Amino acid sequence: MTSVLVTAPIPQAALNILRQANLDVDCYNGHGLITKAELLKRVVGKDYLITPLSTQVDRDIIDADPQLKLIANYGAGFNNIDADYARSRQIPVTNTPKVSTVSTAEVTAGLIIALTHRLVEGDRLMRDQGFDGWSPLFFLGHELAGKTLGILGMGQIGQAVAKRLAAFDMKIIYTQRHPLDATTAQALHAQQVPLTDLVAQSDILTIHCPFTPETHHLLGAAEFKTMKDSAYLINAARGPIIDEAALLTALQQGQLAGAALDVYEAEPHVDAGFKALDNVILTPHVGNATVEARDAMATIVAKNAVRVDQGQAPLYIVNP
């Protein structure tokens, strides 16, 4: 019987699919993330590996299992896997694109509203000393209508964010390598601009580009100095796209009005400096943390293992 190693608890729907296909399933259910030592031990003899993006799959892991036929990453990103080395071993690496779009766009919209209207800050206030009552100048935030939303990366998630925030009467500008087709750009009322203009013009700048060597620290000290001091920064993409040390300095020096971070450069570590700032919202990488998105992701990774077991090519190969 062929076997699959699942390196973290995943929705039951995926396990059902695997077992119905008569695959022998070894699922890691230990406390916390699986260690490299445990992964090296358990991957031996497995045909398929299903792993979340929080688990590193390097050459050591790949070499430990000569019969490995598939690495199915539970997540849209795949920088946790040495996909190039897997290609050299003729092992396809797959991801779970598209199904996170709605959830991540909704979370981004929620972070933008919460940050600009100071909702989290207000919740903390009420749980602490409370307030003396309504007052004309008390606890003012900012409306979104008429403001400029800058979107760094206008793929499916970026477009979904633009669609939702356009309903708040925001002006939409974006930066990415290739422009949107004319029909999509017109429907979203979105204008492509260079990165320098995106940074300088945005009242709210939200990141939705993939993490690659080219996008590492794409936003750093130079960019933060050119942003409006009334601007807000949102990151629900990947932590290392931002130079976090530079961002913290910019926030501490008042170069930005605030930030909302769902991802971190040294995840899961969060710099204590951010925690000390009232104008920063921190969430634990919950961009696609919905029942609907996670079930859909689980179905993709399980069905890909079944497809390979049945002699078919898996879907969403990232290292063809």
Side-chain angles (χ1 to χ4, degrees):
M1 179 182 291
T2 51
S3 60
V4 55
L5 172 61
V6 183
T7 66
I10 60 175
Q12 186 63 39
L15 303 180
N16 292 341
I17 291 171
L18 295 169
R19 288 168 179 147
Q20 288 168 5
N22 294 318
L23 293 177
D24 180 40
V25 180
D26 176 13
C27 187
Y28 174 76
N29 291 305
H31 178 70
L33 300 178
I34 190 170
T35 64
K36 182 173 182 177
E38 181 73 11
L39 181 52
L40 281 168
K41 180 175 66 175
R42 293 176 74 152
V43 75
V44 175
K46 300 300 191 298
D47 298 280
Y48 316 116
L49 176 62
I50 294 176
T51 187
L53 54 84
S54 54
T55 298
Q56 297 296 314
V57 180
D58 57 19
R59 294 188 177 203
D60 294 340
I61 304 300
I62 295 170
D63 285 340
D65 186 13
Q67 68 188 59
L68 193 61
K69 302 179 183 69
L70 170 72
I71 302 172
N73 209 43
Y74 190 99
F78 53 91
N79 50 292
N80 57 307
I81 297 172
D82 191 336
D84 290 335
Y85 185 66
R87 181 195 297 118
S88 74
R89 289 274 313 277
Q90 297 184 317
I91 301 170
V93 175
T94 63
N95 67 342
T96 57
K98 303 180 181 179
V99 294
S100 298
T101 298
V102 170
S103 179
T104 305
E106 290 179 353
V107 166
T108 300
L111 289 173
I112 290 172
I113 294 168
L115 187 62
T116 55
H117 286 271
R118 303 175 67 184
L119 300 183
V120 175
E121 193 179 346
D123 178 78
R124 286 196 296 265
L125 175 71
M126 294 305 296
R127 293 173 187 272
D128 189 7
Q129 73 263 31
F131 77 127
D132 295 330
W134 187 92
S135 175
L137 299 180
F138 174 67
F139 219 79
L140 300 182
H142 291 280
E143 296 178 0
L144 299 181
K147 304 296 193 303
T148 297
L149 175 68
I151 301 177
L152 178 54
M154 201 60 145
Q156 289 186 327
I157 294 175
Q159 290 177 41
V161 170
K163 178 180 178 181
R164 284 154 177 78
L165 273 297
F168 285 81
D169 297 323
M170 298 193 75
K171 176 185 177 181
I172 309 295
I173 59 176
Y174 73 95
T175 294
Q176 71 171 6
R177 185 176 303 174
H178 303 293
L180 296 172
D181 64 82
T183 301
T184 303
Q186 183 176 7
L188 295 174
H189 305 287
Q191 177 187 358
Q192 185 184 29
V193 298
L195 179 61
T196 52
D197 291 349
L198 186 85
V199 169
Q201 296 176 19
S202 296
D203 295 302
I204 299 167
L205 177 57
T206 181
I207 301 172
H208 300 290
C209 61
F211 175 60
T212 66
E214 291 73 30
T215 61
H216 179 259
H217 284 189
L218 187 59
L219 297 181
E223 288 72 28
F224 299 141
K225 287 179 181 177
T226 61
M227 290 180 71
K228 301 176 182 180
D229 59 12
S230 59
Y232 299 91
L233 180 66
I234 316 293
N235 190 7
R238 288 293 180 268
I241 296 171
I242 292 176
D243 181 342
E244 275 193 6
L247 173 60
L248 180 56
T249 298
L251 289 165
Q252 291 170 334
Q253 295 180 352
Q255 294 175 4
L256 301 177
L261 306 176
D262 186 49
V263 291
Y264 306 92
E265 188 166 0
E267 194 167 313
H269 171 74
V270 181
D271 192 303
F274 290 112
K275 299 178 184 180
L277 298 175
D278 288 333
N279 60 340
V280 173
I281 296 176
L282 306 170
T283 51
H285 202 151
V286 294
N288 62 13
T290 61
V291 171
E292 295 84 356
R294 296 289 170 85
D295 279 352
M297 294 163 68
T299 298
I300 289 172
V301 294
K303 286 188 174 180
N304 269 342
V306 173
R307 286 177 67 90
V308 174
D309 197 56
Q310 294 175 349
Q312 304 175 59
L315 304 176
Y316 311 121
I317 299 174
V318 299
N319 65 338

